[in-house]
Structure formats: C-alpha cells, structure tokens
Amino acid sequence: MFISKHFWNYVKRYLQSTQSLLPSFHITRCTEHFCKAFSALNSNKLFPIPSWIPKFSEPAYPFDMKPPSYQTITSIIRRMKASTSPCPLDKISIICFKRCPYLRSFLTEIIRVIWLSGRVPPEWKKAATILIHKKGSTDDPANFRPITLESVPLKIFTSCLRNSMFNFLKKNNFIENQIQKGFTSNISGTIEHTSFMSHVIDKARIKQRSLVITLLDLKNAFGEVHHNLIKSVLSYHHIPSHVQALISNLYLDFKTSIITEEFQTPAISVRRGVLQGDCLSPLLFNLCFNTFIQFIKAEKYQHLGFSVHDGSDRMFQPVHWFQFADDAAVITSGEKENQTLLNCFTRWCQWANFVIRVDKCVSFGVKKYSTRSIQFQPKLLIDKQLVPPVKNGESFKYLGRYFDFDMTNELHKSKLLSLFSTLMKGIDDLPLHPKNKLVVYHRYVLSKVSWHFTVADIPRAWVTENLNNPVSRYIRS
C-alpha cells in the first residue's frame, strides 16, 4: 500500500543512499562559511560597460509595465509543480493556490501593489537554504550546492517579473540563444550542444582537420555575481528604471538560514550572488553573461571558430563558443585562435568579477599527422597558468556526455553496466512482492538510465547483449 501511494518516497528511502551525502560539519563552521560566501566583496565597486562591449540600439518594442493580471498569475501557478517544496519558514504550499481561486485573487492584488510600489515585503525576503552534496568530503561546506527555498508567493512574483523581462528582451532581439542554451524555454540546449560537439569531433577526425576545444570552469558562478553588476547589466539591456529598482529592492536585506537535519543557522544577509532556487536568478545570470556573448559575436572573433560543412561542402558560419548557463566550451581550428578567445574571456571575467578555476578547465586537441588524424595536448594559458590538457586516449566530460578522440562511448557503457547492476541488485534485495519489484524496475530504473541513451550513441546490439540479458535473469528470478 505504501509503495503504491508514495512510490517516489519509497524509492528515495530504500534505493537512494543519502546518509553519506549529508553534511558532517558543525553549525559554527557552516555559519562562518556562508556568511563569507554571501558577503559583499568590494561593495562600492561599479561596473560601467566597457567600450569593447557593443551597445544595443534603443528598443523597438517598449517594456510592458502593466501589473500582472489574474489570468497571468493563474497560468504561472498552474505550470508550477505541485511537488514544489514550500519554504520551511512559512510552509505555504503551491497546492493552496492551485485549488483556491480566492487565494489567487488575493495574491494578484498583493502582487499588483508590489509591482506599482517597487517594494517587496520584508516577510517575502526571508528564505531557507538546503545543501545538496556535489562531490568531495562532506566535512567541507564548499562541497555542497546551496538551494534556496523561497516563499511560494515570492516565486510567483519573480516568475511574473522574469516573463515580462524575457518577452521584452526577446522581442527586441537583446537576448542570444544560439550560443547560450541554458534556461531557455522550448530549447533542448544540452542535446543540441552535445550532439554538435560530437559532430565537430567526428568531422575533424575523419576529414583530418585541426580542432582545439577548451572547457572553462568558473568558481561558484551564481554565487559570485556582484549586485552592482546586475544593476549595470539591466541598464545595458534597456530594462526600465522602475523594474531595476524593483530587482534592487528584492535583494536589499534579503536573508536566508541554512537548514540541515541537525541544525538551522541564524539568518544570513545575502549581499552577493543570485539565489539558486529563485525563478528570476537564471535570467539575471544569463543577462550578465550576455554582455560577453555580444562581445565575441563580432565578426573578428566569429571567424576564429571551427567551420562546419554539410554533405555538399557548403560552409556554414563557424562555431566558436558553446554556453550552457555557466558551462562554457571554446571551439576553434587551432591553438592560436583558441588562445585569443581565452584572452577575451579572461578580460571579461576581470571586469565582471568572476574567477576562472584553471585547474578545473581542460583542453582537447585533434590535428593531422602524416596521413592521419591524431589527438594532441594543446598548450593554452589562462592568467599565465597552463590549462590541463586531456591525455591521449582519455576523455573529457561536457554537459553529462563523455567525449574522446574515437567517440566510442565506452565510459557511458561502463557506467550503464555499473548502474544497472547496482539498481537491479538493490531492487532484488527489497522486501517486496515480485509484482511491486517490476513496478520499481519499470518506473525507476528506466528513468535513471534514459539520460545515457539520450546523449550517447549506444548500439542496440550492445544493449541487448550487456543489459537485456542480466535484467532478464533478475526478472525471471
């Protein structure tokens, strides 16, 4: 009965090991770390737009300054998942607004007042932050990703603000979606970038052409966004001053508490970064990065990329940069061109106050040697530090997919085998009726492995031989 009514709770409890992922540090260390992480660095620094970043022309379509209507707010509420976690501080669930039109009407009036006055209620600017383990020791707070659980009414309000801003930017062609694929609706950016990168590597290898790829990593990208940078970037994109003031007021005296199973820290002021978990944050981050994308869209940088041909040898516009949120990949036809773009990125990061973690970056190269293509190790520098190259025969990972010189997908295959055996053994050990075990297999296992089949080209014959047979043995037993 429990598994039929609460399937995913059962799966999380008995199949997903969470004990090793919980923080093991004390409240004092946690408070000190996040007080430092959220504190403003050089709070008086201004970010005037440099002359080398192209300016936008005046908008052809004005910003719609009308407050959100009841229909707009209702549409946003209906699209929000019922499983959305409420803020632990007020415990208001989205389900209340989904089921009660009167509450939606009351919320509409509140949002209209906030929209016109430009002031967010102090009660909405109190949040709770949970910690999701990334990798590394659980003793270090830096190894956890902070996810902020805001009040549901604030999420609805910032969704309205995000939609109005995005519509304005899209109509005026101020936002770019050919290079930046992250957080863009109706675009499967991960699949597009990974598929195109696979195509580029295959072209370089088969056609014996030179190719250099560099993956870039920013330190705590979302958490390093300076609030004064947001103001400058909003002005750069011609966002009306009233909306700018509204966003500034949102971050003014915003506080959050870190909550774990063991403790809850005192409220910490958020004076730096955009909050992961806030509906407006992805757009604000993209707008900051859009200033760099506008910089490298110039023809003198665009031609540095890798030229792609179709079957008729017709040449398309060179590909020189992939961006998905903060995950960047530089793609050029040689080391010199790649180094030029890396210098541009370093220059922009110095202006925007972002820090490049050179030790986490990687470079990958293909070149012609005699009558064949070989992998080589490029020598590229960022801040006079050598970018670690991918060793010959090894692979690199971008947006969840592994890439190597031969594009064999061997790492995906080995991970699939390990994942399948772990999951099937875990299901087999559960104290369940065989019928329920089949339900867990059908609903849980297939969802866990579908990603690998989406991004990697894994032959059906390999799946039949290596996955179907072991699964069949478990099912028969």
Side-chain angles (χ1 to χ4, degrees), residues 344-361:
C344 291
F345 187 66
T346 303
R347 184 183 185 185
W348 178 83
C349 286
Q350 290 172 349
W351 168 75
N353 251 28
F354 284 109
V355 179
I356 305 174
R357 296 194 300 183
V358 183
D359 59 316
K360 299 293 183 179
C361 301

Side-chain angles (χ1 to χ4, degrees), residues 315-467:
M315 185 179 296
F316 291 91
Q317 191 175 32
V319 178
H320 70 318
W321 199 282
F322 284 165
Q323 190 75 38
F324 190 92
D326 61 324
D327 292 317
V330 191
I331 304 173
T332 61
S333 56
E335 289 180 273
K336 183 179 179 181
E337 295 84 354
N338 207 284
Q339 185 64 64
T340 299
L341 289 174
L342 290 180
N343 293 342
C344 291
F345 187 66
T346 303
R347 184 183 185 185
W348 178 83
C349 286
Q350 290 172 349
W351 168 75
N353 251 28
F354 284 109
V355 179
I356 305 174
R357 296 194 300 183
V358 183
D359 59 316
K360 299 293 183 179
C361 301
V362 295
S363 63
F364 172 86
V366 177
K367 67 179 181 179
K368 182 178 180 180
Y369 178 76
S370 185
T371 59
R372 61 192 178 93
S373 290
I374 63 170
Q375 180 184 345
F376 76 102
Q377 300 179 21
K379 294 182 179 179
L380 302 168
L381 300 176
I382 298 177
D383 289 335
K384 299 181 181 180
Q385 300 180 58
L386 180 66
V387 177
V390 177
K391 296 180 180 178
N392 292 346
E394 296 186 358
S395 62
F396 65 92
K397 186 179 181 181
Y398 181 64
L399 298 181
R401 179 170 181 176
Y402 294 96
F403 299 87
D404 56 42
F405 177 75
D406 296 315
M407 294 302 294
T408 58
N409 291 308
E410 289 300 326
L411 271 174
H412 280 289
K413 293 175 182 177
S414 64
K415 287 186 174 294
L416 271 173
L417 282 173
S418 175
L419 183 60
F420 251 99
S421 60
T422 301
L423 292 176
M424 295 307 295
K425 186 179 185 307
I427 294 172
D428 191 54
D429 293 338
L430 291 176
L432 293 174
H433 188 278
K435 179 180 178 181
N436 286 330
K437 290 184 179 181
L438 291 175
V439 171
V440 175
Y441 164 73
H442 179 71
R443 294 185 61 186
Y444 178 67
V445 175
L446 300 185
S447 68
K448 292 288 288 184
V449 302
S450 61
W451 168 253
H452 293 277
F453 293 116
T454 302
V455 299
D457 185 15
I458 300 177
R460 182 186 296 269
W462 184 90
V463 174
T464 301
E465 179 181 353
N466 295 276
L467 299 183

